Amino acid sequence: MVIERKNMTIALCINCGKMKFGALLPCQECGCGSTGNSELDIAFTDHFLSEETLQGFGKVIQCLRKNTKDESVAFGAFIKHVSENYPAIILSETPRQYRTAVSALLEHTNLPEVMIVDSPRIGAGIDTSPEEKYTSRVRHYPIQCEFCGHVQSFAIWSQINGSFDAWINEMIVSGRLFMNKCRRCRYQQVVPYHTLYMNIEKPFAVWLRMPESRNEFKICVPSYDYFSELRTDFIFRAVSSPSELAEKIKIFLDGYDDILIEFIKTCLCFQRGIDLVQPLYYVKTTRKIFSGKSMTFMLLDPSGEYEIRYPFTSQKSKLAHIMKMIQPILCKLTTDWHTIDRDFVMQMLQNLGIITRLDI
Ligand SMILES: [Zn+2]
Ligand SMILES: [Zn+2]
């Protein structure tokens, strides 16, 4: 039988590891069709990955199948391996009943390294429609371990839509999105790159530009009208580290103004004798019936991490008064990529002549 390959989707059969045509069609080799999860079926096709990369993952599946007779355990182990090492492709939890068997299988199976080459189809239709324009964009690059020299694929996200792909927020907050963990020696290193993060519901956009980024991992300054098709009230922020990006996401998703948060951080520094440039991040808000909202901040010090609590509800009226005073300055902040930090707050307070008393 001659199979006409033109325009057909080439897919990986996640059951047997052989190539097949059509993500949802039965495998010509083992007869297995869709996994029941169409997102997973489509992730392992030439829409996202090159044919040689699909074949590389096929070898991983065959290796797992050789070491167990249980198809479900082999499948679970494959998904866990991909989720842990290539989370940009698929990120999924192992069902509870297979966890022990899956971990045991992965522990005693030496899996081949897959160097990811993205599909040439990616990016072909970029910017042609609003849906394409605002979707998350990822590409894989080889990264060398600084400790042992091992080279493996790492996902670089040039654009992140935190409203569509909410799971990425968690990856940013945990620091995982920027961390390369060597599969040979387990050494972890931060891979610096630029990214444009957007959240359409809030709405805010954060441009992360890590200073050490390689030229190919940099993005151009996004213009403010980039979002004008979506809505006109975007807040634009610029940050220079993954921790700052994570903090902005937490602040805005918790419904705060980041200038207010930076103002509170400045006050905490004055009250507790903390240097204004020492890393201090907003972590979370907790609510109690009688005392109301309390904020938790994390102070990073060479000797360790320290939590600082701030009683938000009891200071709310004083904070509202300060925010009212700075409102005229805030109105001018709408259209630029502003760096809102304690330095910004200090300059703002000096301009307003209210630097003398920071006792709230
Ligand atoms: Zn098959
Ligand atoms: Zn290494």
Side-chain angles (χ1 to χ4, degrees), residues 13 16 27 30:
C13 170
C16 73
C27 169
C30 71

Side-chain angles (χ1 to χ4, degrees), residues 12-20 26-32:
L12 171 68
C13 170
I14 297 172
N15 184 51
C16 73
K18 290 278 167 65
M19 293 293 130
K20 62 174 188 171
C27 169
Q28 292 84 1
E29 190 77 21
C30 71
C32 204

Side-chain angles (χ1 to χ4, degrees), residues 140-151:
H140 291 85
Y141 292 86
I143 295 288
Q144 189 171 35
C145 170
E146 283 169 1
F147 192 78
C148 76
H150 177 68
V151 177

Side-chain angles (χ1 to χ4, degrees), residues 308-341:
I308 299 177
R309 291 284 171 88
Y310 182 80
F312 181 72
T313 299
S314 64
Q315 304 292 348
K316 212 172 169 183
S317 57
K318 283 186 189 174
L319 291 168
H321 177 66
I322 293 284
M323 289 306 282
K324 207 172 171 186
M325 283 174 76
I326 61 180
Q327 204 55 46
I329 295 179
L330 304 188
C331 291
K332 293 177 193 154
L333 284 180
T334 46
T335 55
D336 205 352
W337 293 92
H338 289 283
T339 302
I340 304 296
D341 52 10

Side-chain angles (χ1 to χ4, degrees), residues 8 29 70 73 81 102 137 143 196 208 232 255 267 307-309 318 320 325 332 341 348:
M8 276 196 90
E29 190 77 21
D70 191 328
V73 172
H81 177 70
V102 158
R137 291 177 201 164
I143 295 288
L196 175 62
L208 168 66
T232 53
C267 295
E307 276 196 358
I308 299 177
R309 291 284 171 88
K318 283 186 189 174
M325 283 174 76
K332 293 177 193 154
D341 52 10
M348 190 177 65

